[in-house]
Amino acid sequence: MFSKGNIVTYVIAFLFILALNFFLPRMMPGDPLMAIYGDEALIAMTPELKAELVERFALDQPLWQQLGAYFGALFQGELGHSYYYNAPVLPVILGRLPWTLLLVGSSLVLSTVLGITLGIESGWRRGSKTDRSMLAGLMGLNGFPDFFLGMLLLIAFGVTWGIFPLAGALTPYSGLSGLALLLDILRHLFLPVAALTLAHLAGGYLLTRNTMITVLKEPYMLTAKAKGLSQRVLKYRHAGRNSMLPVVTQTGIWMGRVVTGALFVELVFAYPGVGYLTYEALLARDYPIIQGVFLMVAVSVLVINFLIDLSYPKLDPRVSYAY
């Protein structure tokens, strides 16, 4: 059972994130509008837009009224106005979010499934040639950052052999639809997903392997062997399932890094996701976009950790005794 104390902790953390997002720009010296949007934005803004933003966010009112306007805008899905895109922040972020979710989600599923499977097999065969080969190969792979792997894949499969596209999420002005459009998206997706998957594969593998080795020494494993269960049942249902908790935790942490985990890979492949949007916003000093992305990432980390806490007792009923 999930205790009330845990729920209260998450609620407090959520309120703290919202307060931090509100107070940080307003703690800066000078005009709040200038702190939120920057000098360049104010120069580019029309007087009508300035007046509208001041009125919308109550920037000419006392701080407590600004806080009320801030929460009121949040409940209406209003995260501010991007002067660079000349549009509300939320639609701009939501327009890029599906591409990042597709990229990160695909690589997350692949790296987790492969990491757990290879880790179980390696831990079960500890000390064998297969175990040593996988351990050496994945440890070596773990030393390369995701953007470096992305550049290697781009040079090899994009430039040298020309098998996959060099950039983007789909071919512009192609007029494709249906199955042809899906295949085009998958071709553009392959290299970024491969880079992220290879970069994060070793973490899940090592955690699963090490936990698997520990689990195999537990008394209940000896009991399961004494019952005459098949090797497959012993390996996956008993040892493998009890080795998954650390991997689930790591997966949840990485899921929260939607932007930071894919930022450099999106830059390498010019992939139009939230990470690339953050890069564009940094170059343009579009602070409302940056604030909106920060809020989205922080809340997503909070929600994902909450869901992970809920999943623990399902994976291992013994965890429920800790609550």
Side-chain angles (χ1 to χ4, degrees):
M1 296 290 292
F2 203 72
S3 68
K4 293 181 180 179
N6 294 87
I7 297 176
V8 170
T9 301
Y10 279 102
V11 171
I12 292 174
F14 176 69
L15 293 176
F16 177 76
I17 290 170
L18 295 182
L20 189 65
N21 199 52
F22 170 78
F23 283 110
L24 273 181
R26 288 163 177 82
M27 290 172 63
M28 297 174 65
D31 181 16
L33 191 64
M34 183 182 69
I36 295 173
Y37 285 91
D39 297 332
E40 293 85 351
L42 291 182
I43 294 174
M45 281 184 188
T46 62
E48 292 78 11
L49 180 57
K50 291 180 185 178
E52 180 188 348
L53 292 173
V54 169
E55 181 181 359
R56 185 186 306 173
F57 298 105
L59 296 178
D60 56 345
Q61 301 297 323
L63 194 62
W64 65 270
Q65 290 187 358
Q66 294 185 35
L67 184 62
Y70 169 74
F71 278 106
L74 278 181
F75 286 123
Q76 296 176 13
E78 176 64 65
L79 298 180
H81 187 88
S82 168
Y83 80 91
Y84 182 73
Y85 293 97
N86 193 25
V89 168
L90 187 60
V92 174
I93 295 177
L94 292 180
R96 301 292 190 95
L97 187 59
W99 294 113
T100 294
L101 291 178
L102 178 63
L103 170 61
V104 176
S106 302
S107 61
L108 184 68
V109 171
L110 288 173
S111 61
T112 302
V113 172
L114 289 174
I116 290 175
T117 304
L118 294 177
I120 290 174
E121 295 294 335
S122 186
W124 185 263
R125 296 175 170 82
R126 183 187 181 189
S128 66
K129 289 184 179 180
T130 302
D131 174 46
R132 290 197 296 268
S133 299
M134 284 195 290
L135 185 61
L138 289 172
M139 284 293 289
L141 191 65
N142 194 40
F144 296 102
D146 49 15
F147 68 88
F148 183 75
L149 292 172
M151 288 189 290
L152 291 180
L153 292 173
L154 188 63
I155 292 171
F157 294 96
V159 177
T160 304
W161 295 318
I163 301 175
F164 295 102
L166 297 177
L170 45 80
T171 304
Y173 311 112
S174 61
L176 298 175
S177 61
L179 181 60
L181 177 62
L182 177 62
L183 293 175
D184 185 57
I185 292 174
L186 292 177
R187 286 184 69 246
H188 284 81
L189 186 67
F190 184 86
L191 291 182
V193 166
L196 279 177
T197 301
L198 292 174
H200 294 89
L201 177 61
Y205 161 79
L206 291 173
L207 272 177
T208 306
R209 178 185 180 274
N210 294 339
T211 310
M212 184 78 173
I213 292 171
T214 303
V215 166
L216 289 174
K217 300 176 183 178
E218 295 291 335
Y220 62 81
M221 287 302 300
L222 297 176
T223 304
K225 290 179 182 178
K227 290 180 179 179
L229 299 176
S230 66
Q231 179 174 314
R232 182 180 181 83
V233 172
L234 288 171
K235 188 191 304 181
Y236 288 100
R237 185 175 298 176
H238 290 270
R241 181 177 178 181
N242 287 286
S243 303
M244 288 179 61
L245 286 182
V247 185
V248 170
T249 303
Q250 185 207 43
T251 302
I253 293 172
W254 193 62
M255 282 175 66
R257 296 166 52 200
V258 172
V259 178
T260 56
L263 171 60
F264 296 110
V265 169
E266 288 187 5
L267 289 180
V268 169
F269 293 96
Y271 195 81
V274 177
Y276 198 78
L277 173 66
T278 306
Y279 171 72
E280 292 175 333
L282 286 170
L283 290 182
R285 297 186 182 181
D286 194 340
Y287 299 123
I289 290 286
I290 299 171
Q291 276 188 288
V293 171
F294 163 76
L295 182 63
M296 181 197 71
V297 173
V299 172
S300 66
V301 169
L302 203 63
V303 171
I304 289 166
N305 278 278
F306 178 74
L307 295 176
I308 289 172
D309 278 346
L310 290 178
S311 70
Y312 279 165
K314 302 295 183 182
L315 292 173
D316 190 347
R318 295 171 298 175
V319 178
S320 60
Y321 294 127
Y323 293 121

